[in-house]
Amino acid sequence: MSRRTSRLSTTATPALPDVSSHETPEDTMSLDVPEQLLTPENSRSETSSNNENASTDEKLAGRRRSTRVVRASLQATESLANTPVKNVEPKTASSQAYVDSLAKSKRSRSSLRHSIAVMESSLRNGTALPDVDTLANDQSMVPETPISNSSQEPVSDEPNPPLSQRTLRQRVEKVLGKDDEKETPKATPKSASRGYMRRSTRLSLIEKASDFLERSSSVLGKRQRGQGSDNKKEVSRRASLRPRTLAPPKEETPATAAEAPQPKKRRVSESDLTKLQKKEPSPPQEEIKPATPKYKPKRWVTHGLYTGQEPSDSPPKQRQSKNSAKTGTGPLNRRILPMPMFAGSRLVKNGRDYRLPFDIFSPLPPGQPKPDEWRKTNKNVFVGDAASEWRANKNLELSTCMCDEDTGCDENCQNRYMFYECDSGNCRLGPECGNRNFSELKHRTKAGGKYNIGVEVIKTSDRGYGVRSNRSFEPNQIIVEYTGEIITQFECERRMRAVYKNNECYYLMYFDQNMIIDATRGSIARFVNHSCEPNCRMEKWTVAGKPRMALFAGDRGVMTGQELSYDYNFDPYSNKNVQECRCGADNCRGILGPRPKDKDQRPKVVDEKTKNAATPKSAKNAKNAKTAGTKRKLSETTETSSAPPKKRKLLKPKSIKSGIKKVIKKATTARGKTTTKKSVTASKATKSTSPAKKKSVKLPTVKPASRVKATVKTSQKKTEKTEKATPKSPAKSTSQLKRPSAATKKKILALADGSTPQPAEAKPKKDKTGIKRGPYKKTLLKRALAAQNSAKSPAKANSATVKSPTKTKSPAKSKGLGSSMKKAAKNVVRTVKGAKRSA
Ligand SMILES: C[S@@+](CC[C@H](N)C(=O)[O-])C[C@H]1O[C@@H](n2cnc3c(N)ncnc32)[C@H](O)[C@@H]1O
């Protein structure tokens, strides 16, 4: 785009004789009117102007006016304003005439404006003004706006006023302004009346236009209309009517810009502003703009003083959903704002224990050694024949819980009791179910992170590696699953012989159906050490029909940072394999497992086990004991022999006592009762002796049953034999009960009298348990029974075939039995005596 200079020459105009007479050609005023550069904005202004011309909207017509203001102001210069008006006047005069002619040609206001534009261009270019007819023809080019249509009115044909020192535009505006003058008292009556009519019409047009303009959003338009409608002076000041000469050039050279006074700022409409902003992405604004501070996204700490110990006044509940909501697993569960300040008073009053987070109070020392030969797997993997064997022997165990939503699957849940995990298949409860430990563990593991996983390996000072908690665990909450390779016993033995023969630690645990979990390649649970006072327990559960083992928190729960432990409870089988226990508990047994051949310690251990077995919870422990013991047993026994470990029977001393008591009680109460009842009692008594076998106590047996050797010996082999024999005894003892012979009867009577001493009475021997064993074959019970029989029905008693014991002794002398036994025997004797007397 080139800058064009329009030269306004006043020399060669024939219609300006005065000017030529006054001024020489040298004096010719030549003004370099720098035209506006055709910037995109300007070009748009042109375009929009054209468009506006094409538009039929009155608003646009009004806006067009403002566009033209721009154009006019851009085309003027200050120098032009300073030019003596006289010089221009001749030309202006001709223009004036032209204007008048135009006015006469009854053109509308818009056509007049068009004509002005044409004149202006002709002035600039120095060309002759077109004829009015030509202009009239040009009018065809002017779009018919409402204004132009409504302006087709006769124009005043008043004589040309004398030329004044006004610009062409001012002159034109004067013509227009005259139209605006509604009430001009100076007007002649005729012209006034005409003008009034005309003016009034035009005025209405202008008013209409101004109304439209008032509605327009342009600030400039509003201002102008507001002023223009008031009086003529104001109208003359309107920007649209300002002489172009006064309008500053839009673009100037830097020098000109510096010298020239600050051009009056153009009023800019909002739309223009947005355009400008789009065009010029003002860099200084960006510089000034203060840098917005970048806030780091808030990160919630997942562990702290009270991690996993959300405050609650309610007692701990079994329901998993409630517990999990209470304990929370991090920031996600914190849906409410923290408690208000005064809520702390409750804490002060009630107090609450806490522990420092594990990584603060007990951080792992730097350079913590890591277990080398640990291949990790978090799933059970069947190896070799294990899978097929397991499938073949698989029992389809089905269990459906009957819990309802109110209770959830709490500790009374049938599935829970049987160590069956609830799922959608066997439990109709959804999230309310509290018996989905393994599924909870799965979610935790999936979430990841130290807190969710909850455990980590540590190196202990004297027990190799161990495991500690990274968080607190609720009582009975699942902690970690014990996983590894599931192998058959055969495979286990092979490994023990070939692979692990030099190992110090074995990670073998009895699992299910004679399968073994070998956690040499397994989960972190394999590092959990033994303790005689453990805080966890190992449990076997059936999950979706498959057995799985996991470590659960004990009844006291687990605090953050504690080392996890459970009772291995194994039987070493051999003294060689006994390991020293370094658990440090007050009640430490001293070895890993029960002390062998320790009379004081052993029953104690047995007592603990049986005590635990009495309650459902301890039933779990009993189960643990089995699994844990098997694990240890495997690891220990296979060191010495490759033979499969033998199952050790747990002895139940409690049952012995109760069995004896039962018998005695029945025997005592049997006084005066029928024979049938007695015989039943006898049979029961015989039966009841079977549990006592486990106590390694030889209990008296009824002769008919004596065919069956119901003796219990301390050695395991004999116990097994007895086990085989025992089932037959009760049936036989009842059905083959014979009546005592006459001789026996005699002896019993004599015994009852206490007169006849028993011949060749041998001294009772003490057995290993310390109980004196009588050399008799017939027990006290049998004798008592026989005595009772004879007392009740002597005839029958006589015919009874109760075999007399080869070696008998007075019941009173049988010191080895308990006092209750003695009493019972005495009672029996008394009964017999009484019966005899009455007879
Ligand atoms: C299954 S591993 C336990 C992890 C083992 N500490 C490690 O470093 O891999 C069992 C072995 O740990 C040791 N152990 C576990 N508990 C123990 C305790 N209370 N006292 C002494 N040694 C123990 C014994 O050597 C035992 O054979």
Side-chain angles (χ1 to χ4, degrees):
M1 296 240 262
S2 63
R3 172 181 279 241
R4 285 190 300 149
T5 309
S6 72
R7 182 175 287 266
L8 187 64
S9 174
T10 57
T11 49
T13 312
L16 303 170
D18 300 339
V19 176
S20 60
S21 63
H22 286 294
E23 292 191 10
T24 57
E26 284 78 25
D27 295 328
T28 304
M29 186 184 68
S30 71
L31 296 173
D32 285 343
V33 182
E35 276 194 356
Q36 172 190 11
L37 275 178
L38 198 59
T39 59
E41 185 192 6
N42 299 334
S43 68
R44 185 163 56 250
S45 143
E46 292 286 344
T47 318
S48 66
S49 172
N50 294 336
N51 291 340
E52 282 160 9
N53 285 339
S55 169
T56 53
D57 190 5
E58 287 184 358
K59 263 189 188 175
L60 289 177
R63 209 181 294 157
R64 183 183 63 194
R65 194 183 290 175
S66 71
T67 309
R68 289 183 69 88
V69 168
V70 173
R71 290 170 66 192
S73 60
L74 289 172
Q75 287 164 1
T77 58
E78 285 179 18
S79 54
L80 186 59
N82 298 330
T83 309
V85 181
K86 279 181 184 175
N87 295 343
V88 191
E89 206 164 291
K91 180 121 190 178
T92 319
S94 67
S95 303
Q96 181 63 41
Y98 189 73
V99 166
D100 290 341
S101 66
L102 279 173
K104 281 177 186 172
S105 67
K106 302 177 184 179
R107 295 301 167 197
S108 68
R109 175 184 278 246
S110 56
S111 62
L112 199 59
R113 287 186 184 283
H114 178 73
S115 308
I116 290 166
V118 173
M119 280 192 294
E120 280 173 358
S121 64
S122 64
L123 267 173
R124 278 198 302 275
N125 300 329
T127 54
L129 288 169
D131 296 335
V132 177
D133 296 336
T134 324
L135 278 172
N137 293 334
D138 283 353
Q139 288 307 305
S140 61
M141 303 298 288
V142 179
E144 284 192 352
T145 62
I147 292 174
S148 61
N149 285 337
S150 61
S151 314
Q152 303 298 322
E153 291 166 14
V155 189
S156 168
D157 53 350
E158 62 185 315
N160 288 341
L163 289 175
S164 61
Q165 295 181 347
R166 283 175 293 185
T167 60
L168 174 62
R169 182 163 283 277
Q170 277 174 332
R171 178 71 189 127
V172 171
E173 288 305 326
K174 195 188 172 188
V175 173
L176 292 172
K178 272 186 180 175
D179 296 340
D180 293 343
E181 285 174 343
K182 291 178 188 174
E183 298 155 6
T184 314
K186 290 171 187 175
T188 55
K190 191 186 172 186
S191 65
S193 64
R194 276 176 152 190
Y196 179 78
M197 288 301 289
R198 176 174 49 87
R199 279 171 203 152
S200 63
T201 317
R202 289 203 173 171
L203 189 66
S204 65
L205 285 171
I206 289 166
E207 277 175 350
K208 270 186 190 174
S210 63
D211 281 344
F212 279 115
L213 288 168
E214 271 172 10
R215 280 179 228 141
S216 73
S217 60
S218 164
V219 177
L220 178 63
K222 278 179 188 171
R223 172 86 180 269
Q224 284 171 349
R225 267 191 314 281
Q227 290 170 346
S229 60
D230 287 343
N231 51 51
K232 191 183 170 184
K233 278 185 182 178
E234 290 297 314
V235 170
S236 67
R237 271 190 223 152
R238 275 152 53 179
S240 59
L241 303 177
R242 207 172 290 143
R244 275 181 290 167
T245 50
L246 294 173
K250 185 137 191 181
E251 277 195 16
E252 287 177 339
T253 54
T256 322
E259 285 163 17
Q262 277 290 328
K264 204 169 184 180
K265 280 183 184 172
R266 176 195 159 198
R267 293 174 196 276
V268 194
S269 66
E270 285 173 11
S271 56
D272 287 345
L273 258 175
T274 49
K275 283 172 194 171
L276 279 168
Q277 281 170 355
K278 274 181 191 173
K279 270 186 181 178
E280 296 168 15
S282 56
Q285 274 186 3
E286 277 180 11
E287 286 169 13
I288 297 163
K289 203 179 174 184
T292 48
K294 286 178 183 174
Y295 295 109
K296 276 187 179 178
K298 179 88 179 166
R299 270 193 72 216
W300 293 101
V301 183
T302 53
H303 51 266
L305 291 184
Y306 296 101
T307 298
Q309 304 176 54
E310 290 301 313
S312 168
D313 289 333
S314 57
K317 289 176 181 166
Q318 282 290 323
R319 288 165 71 171
Q320 184 194 13
S321 57
K322 283 184 183 171
N323 280 340
S324 61
K326 195 174 67 182
T327 53
T329 50
L332 290 175
N333 289 338
R334 194 181 287 280
R335 289 195 191 104
I336 51 168
L337 289 169
M339 296 293 283
M341 236 171 69
F342 52 79
S345 63
R346 189 189 59 151
L347 262 183
V348 174
K349 253 192 227 167
N350 302 341
R352 189 152 57 92
D353 291 337
Y354 69 87
R355 285 218 174 186
L356 286 167
F358 72 97
D359 50 353
I360 294 174
F361 95 93
S362 177
L364 282 178
Q368 176 81 6
K370 301 244 163 148
D372 309 321
E373 297 161 5
W374 176 31
R375 286 180 300 148
K376 195 175 174 182
T377 175
N378 286 327
K379 278 186 177 176
N380 286 328
V381 185
F382 282 88
V383 173
D385 299 334
S388 55
E389 248 182 62
W390 189 80
R391 245 179 268 128
N393 300 325
K394 187 182 168 187
N395 296 323
L396 260 179
E397 297 166 324
L398 296 171
S399 170
T400 308
C401 92
M402 308 300 286
C403 299
D404 56 9
E405 284 168 8
D406 295 336
T407 57
C409 291
D410 58 4
E411 58 194 357
N412 297 321
C413 171
Q414 186 183 321
N415 277 356
R416 182 191 282 270
Y417 192 81
M418 294 169 68
F419 295 86
Y420 276 70
E421 171 126 336
C422 285
D423 53 39
S424 54
N426 60 9
C427 172
R428 64 200 166 94
L429 300 186
E432 283 298 306
C433 173
N435 182 32
R436 305 196 180 193
N437 297 310
F438 283 82
S439 125
E440 179 208 326
L441 182 65
K442 187 183 169 188
H443 286 123
R444 252 180 30 215
T445 319
K446 212 174 178 184
K450 274 194 169 185
Y451 179 80
N452 283 320
I453 290 167
V455 287
E456 66 180 343
V457 178
I458 50 164
K459 180 79 180 175
T460 64
S461 56
D462 52 355
R463 288 162 297 139
Y465 290 102
V467 176
R468 76 170 185 178
S469 62
N470 280 340
R471 51 172 287 175
S472 58
F473 289 97
E474 297 269 316
N476 309 315
Q477 191 179 354
I478 192 166
I479 297 176
V480 62
E481 188 174 355
Y482 193 103
T483 55
E485 291 177 325
I486 297 173
I487 53 174
T488 59
Q489 276 205 358
F490 182 78
E491 171 66 10
C492 175
E493 288 159 24
R494 188 196 68 78
R495 287 186 182 190
M496 291 298 293
R497 276 196 306 268
V499 190
Y500 307 140
K501 60 181 176 187
N502 296 325
N503 284 14
E504 283 180 13
C505 293
Y506 299 93
Y507 306 96
L508 301 159
M509 169 131 31
Y510 179 78
F511 182 51
D512 191 49
Q513 296 179 10
N514 291 336
M515 303 280 169
I516 288 113
I517 299 183
D518 183 358
T520 307
R521 176 187 159 207
S523 69
I524 192 175
R526 75 178 207 148
F527 292 109
V528 180
N529 284 322
H530 160 87
S531 174
C532 299
E533 200 178 355
N535 55 6
C536 301
R537 58 173 179 267
M538 191 67 76
E539 290 178 2
K540 189 188 88 173
W541 282 71
T542 305
V543 184
K546 288 177 187 170
R548 284 164 80 171
M549 305 217 56
L551 192 73
F552 287 76
D555 294 337
R556 285 169 285 140
V558 176
M559 298 296 284
T560 309
Q562 275 185 348
E563 189 191 338
L564 305 180
S565 60
Y566 66 99
D567 195 339
Y568 284 7
N569 217 356
F570 63 86
D571 193 335
Y573 271 84
S574 163
N575 285 345
K576 279 184 197 173
N577 304 321
V578 173
Q579 285 192 36
E580 182 194 349
C581 179
R582 302 188 198 101
C583 70
D586 292 339
N587 60 346
C588 178
R589 299 194 289 263
I591 54 162
L592 295 184
R595 285 177 190 165
K597 295 184 180 177
D598 187 337
K599 286 172 189 173
D600 298 325
Q601 185 72 19
R602 202 178 180 93
K604 193 183 161 190
V605 176
V606 170
D607 272 346
E608 277 175 8
K609 285 175 189 172
T610 46
K611 191 180 153 193
N612 290 339
T615 58
K617 258 181 190 173
S618 58
K620 293 178 186 177
N621 292 339
K623 204 162 194 175
N624 301 339
K626 191 181 172 188
T627 50
T630 312
K631 171 193 175 184
R632 188 63 196 172
K633 192 162 63 184
L634 281 165
S635 62
E636 299 280 346
T637 50
T638 38
E639 277 177 12
T640 49
S641 71
S642 61
K646 294 166 188 173
K647 283 186 181 176
R648 187 180 177 82
K649 291 279 171 189
L650 291 175
L651 302 178
K652 293 182 179 177
K654 261 195 173 180
S655 62
I656 299 166
K657 229 178 179 180
S658 63
I660 291 171
K661 275 182 184 175
K662 223 176 178 181
V663 171
I664 290 166
K665 200 180 169 187
K666 285 184 177 173
T668 315
T669 51
R671 279 183 287 177
K673 291 191 178 178
T674 58
T675 320
T676 335
K677 276 189 181 174
K678 278 173 206 162
S679 66
V680 171
T681 316
S683 68
K684 276 186 183 172
T686 319
K687 275 182 194 171
S688 68
T689 55
S690 56
K693 290 169 195 168
K694 290 177 184 174
K695 179 74 177 174
S696 306
V697 178
K698 275 194 174 180
L699 289 175
T701 51
V702 180
K703 183 64 187 172
S706 67
R707 291 177 199 167
V708 181
K709 289 182 181 174
T711 51
V712 181
K713 291 189 178 177
T714 44
S715 70
Q716 193 135 1
K717 282 182 182 178
K718 284 184 180 177
T719 312
E720 282 169 8
K721 278 181 185 175
T722 320
E723 271 181 346
K724 286 173 190 172
T726 314
K728 296 173 187 173
S729 57
K732 284 190 176 180
S733 65
T734 47
S735 60
Q736 296 179 5
L737 188 67
K738 290 178 182 176
R739 301 290 173 192
S741 65
T744 316
K745 200 176 160 186
K746 214 176 183 180
K747 277 177 190 173
I748 289 170
L749 285 171
L751 183 72
D753 286 340
S755 54
T756 319
Q758 294 300 315
E761 190 173 358
K763 272 191 177 180
K765 287 176 188 175
K766 281 186 182 179
D767 70 356
K768 285 179 185 176
T769 57
I771 299 172
K772 283 182 182 176
R773 279 195 241 160
Y776 46 80
K777 286 183 181 176
K778 303 294 172 189
T779 62
L780 276 173
L781 185 67
K782 283 179 198 165
R783 274 185 272 145
L785 275 171
Q788 278 176 358
N789 284 336
S790 60
K792 285 276 169 190
S793 55
K796 281 184 182 176
N798 288 338
S799 62
T801 54
V802 177
K803 285 184 180 176
S804 59
T806 48
K807 289 173 186 175
T808 53
K809 69 166 189 138
S810 166
K813 287 177 185 174
S814 62
K815 293 171 190 172
L817 292 173
S819 59
S820 58
M821 194 74 169
K822 289 174 190 172
K823 276 181 188 172
K826 276 180 184 176
N827 285 339
V828 171
V829 171
R830 272 187 221 123
T831 315
V832 172
K833 277 181 180 175
K836 200 179 173 186
R837 268 181 227 123
S838 63

